[in-house]
Amino acid sequence: MLVACLGLTLGHSSQAIIHGLTFPGMAISTVKLSVQHAHFLQSVEKWEYYDSICSAAIVGLKPLTLITAAHCMKEVRLTGPLGLPMLAIAQPELLGMEQVELKQAFYRPFSVVAEDLTQDIAVLVFDAKVHSLIQPLRIRLSDDLPELIMICGYGRGYGEADTRHPRCGERKPVRDLSDFYQVLPKAYREMDEMLHLQAQTQFAYTQELVHAEKALLAVNRLNEMDQYDHTMPMPTVGDSGGPWLVLNALGQYELLAITSLVERFYNPSANWPFFQKQVPLSEYPYVAYGLRLSHPEVLGFLQYAQHSGADIQFTSAPRISHARQPE
């Protein structure tokens, strides 16, 4: 998960997507990725190895094609003559898959993603035998903002057990990202003006980072009474690359966006009543962003991957004249 503050770092009673409900992975065409990374420790001149998880959406079966967030590939270990990232679909047997092997990967370096979030997209193509009736997600090209978005992923909150299945939560998108009061209402400014101003400054920096007005969708953590509520579903670590879904007129899910960035409070205030001592700060994301797949930069990238062998289907023909090749 990209977490802004800003260093980019990237069950029905169960929590996460924090406090979401569990769905079978096949029902929402969502998989967990296990990614291997390597970081060079300059101080001792040795490599440190670590693993992470991300989420990904199945968009095609011929060949098996996934979409996830490019920032999941930060410091990824590479292997083979093609220098493919070392990653795997976790528990593929739950999805009726076997003999799964990565054969193509399309993504831009993390240094590029960190400067421009419209580049936070990766396409992974696998050789695989798929025996189940998974329905690949078609990519929705409409720019209309739906009333509700279902956000899914394999993330987990503080102290939560791992899950074999993704969790989802329905959220209303923020209608106007230029109005910070839609993220943190005026009442919170009146309770603690300095902390509200710090959060607004961080928020404005993120908008600068985006480099594109309509590239991101966002959800906040406000309830129906415009109060911040830490128990509402929200993406967290491990949900990166997970789908933002909408239902079409036939009752089928379509892929609108993928989880890209989360911003959190890092300075608790005694004046803001939602801060509780028993809840860690990691549980307080206040706005989460999904990268819109219909954005021209993203769409051009997807079209390039499609022309290069990925199985990607759209709700209508992409209107991109020149597909930009990954650098």
Side-chain angles (χ1 to χ4, degrees):
M1 175 71 58
L2 281 169
V3 178
C5 189
L6 250 170
L8 291 173
T9 64
L10 300 201
H12 297 315
S13 61
S14 298
Q15 302 175 344
I17 257 179
I18 311 176
H19 305 294
L21 298 180
T22 301
F23 280 70
M26 281 197 300
I28 51 172
S29 305
T30 302
V31 305
K32 180 194 292 187
L33 293 176
S34 176
V35 188
Q36 299 181 38
H37 307 268
H39 174 72
F40 189 71
L41 297 169
Q42 297 283 357
S43 57
V44 292
E45 295 188 342
K46 62 181 288 189
W47 286 94
E48 176 185 53
Y49 300 100
Y50 64 99
D51 296 340
S52 72
I53 67 165
C54 274
S55 303
I58 301 171
V59 295
L61 297 177
K62 299 177 180 180
L64 176 63
T65 302
L66 309 183
I67 287 178
T68 189
H71 75 255
C72 293
M73 308 300 158
K74 180 185 180 183
E75 298 184 331
V76 69
R77 296 176 67 184
L78 304 176
T79 185
L82 297 179
L84 292 174
M86 294 178 67
L87 56 83
I89 296 173
Q91 297 180 301
E93 66 279 0
L94 292 178
L95 300 158
M97 299 176 182
E98 61 180 13
Q99 299 177 26
V100 181
E101 183 179 351
L102 183 67
K103 68 174 187 177
Q104 287 180 292
F106 306 89
Y107 61 96
R108 296 194 174 95
F110 182 76
S111 58
V112 174
V113 176
E115 293 296 324
D116 183 354
L117 289 185
T118 63
Q119 312 304 312
D120 195 16
I121 181 79
V123 177
L124 307 173
V125 181
F126 297 81
D127 279 328
K129 290 185 178 179
V130 182
H131 305 294
S132 59
L133 299 176
I134 295 172
Q135 291 296 317
L137 296 165
R138 297 176 73 204
I139 294 171
R140 188 184 185 99
L141 294 186
S142 170
D143 288 330
D144 295 339
L145 198 59
E147 287 297 316
L148 283 175
I149 298 172
M150 189 160 82
I151 304 174
C152 300
Y154 285 85
R156 52 178 170 166
Y158 176 79
E160 291 181 332
D162 201 356
T163 173
R164 289 160 55 90
H165 301 286
R167 288 176 279 222
C168 303
E170 277 194 333
R171 302 308 312 281
K172 292 181 179 179
V174 176
R175 292 283 161 182
D176 183 4
L177 276 174
S178 66
D179 179 8
F180 185 64
Y181 286 142
Q182 288 202 18
V183 176
L184 262 184
K186 188 176 182 180
Y188 292 107
R189 185 182 182 96
E190 295 168 351
M191 293 176 194
D192 191 326
E193 186 170 2
M194 184 57 68
L195 187 54
H196 193 279
L197 183 60
Q198 288 176 1
Q200 187 170 8
T201 301
Q202 176 182 318
F203 179 83
Y205 180 77
T206 301
Q207 305 312 306
E208 290 291 321
L209 182 68
V210 173
H211 289 308
E213 225 175 76
K214 295 183 178 179
L216 298 184
L217 294 171
V219 294
N220 59 28
R221 217 158 187 196
L222 301 177
N223 61 24
E224 294 297 329
M225 294 177 288
D226 256 4
Q227 297 171 335
Y228 186 92
D229 184 350
H230 76 275
T231 67
M232 296 184 70
M234 199 71 163
T236 187
V237 175
D239 291 319
S240 291
W244 292 39
L245 303 168
V246 290
L247 284 171
N248 63 20
L250 300 175
Q252 300 166 330
Y253 285 119
E254 294 177 349
L255 184 59
L256 187 65
I258 58 168
T259 297
S260 176
L261 173 73
V262 163
E263 291 186 295
R264 290 197 173 106
F265 296 117
Y266 280 96
N267 298 301
S269 168
N271 300 316
W272 286 357
F274 52 78
F275 278 116
Q276 300 177 29
K277 289 183 180 178
Q278 69 270 28
V279 178
L281 287 180
S282 61
E283 295 288 88
Y284 286 103
Y286 68 99
V287 61
Y289 295 97
L291 178 62
R292 288 189 83 130
L293 302 184
S294 62
H295 185 271
E297 281 284 326
V298 182
L299 197 50
F301 179 88
L302 292 174
Q303 190 181 34
Y304 169 78
Q306 183 189 47
H307 289 168
S308 302
D311 182 12
I312 302 173
Q313 304 299 321
F314 303 91
T315 55
S316 58
R319 297 177 297 279
I320 302 294
S321 54
H322 298 288
R324 185 169 138 192
Q325 180 171 346
E327 297 167 4

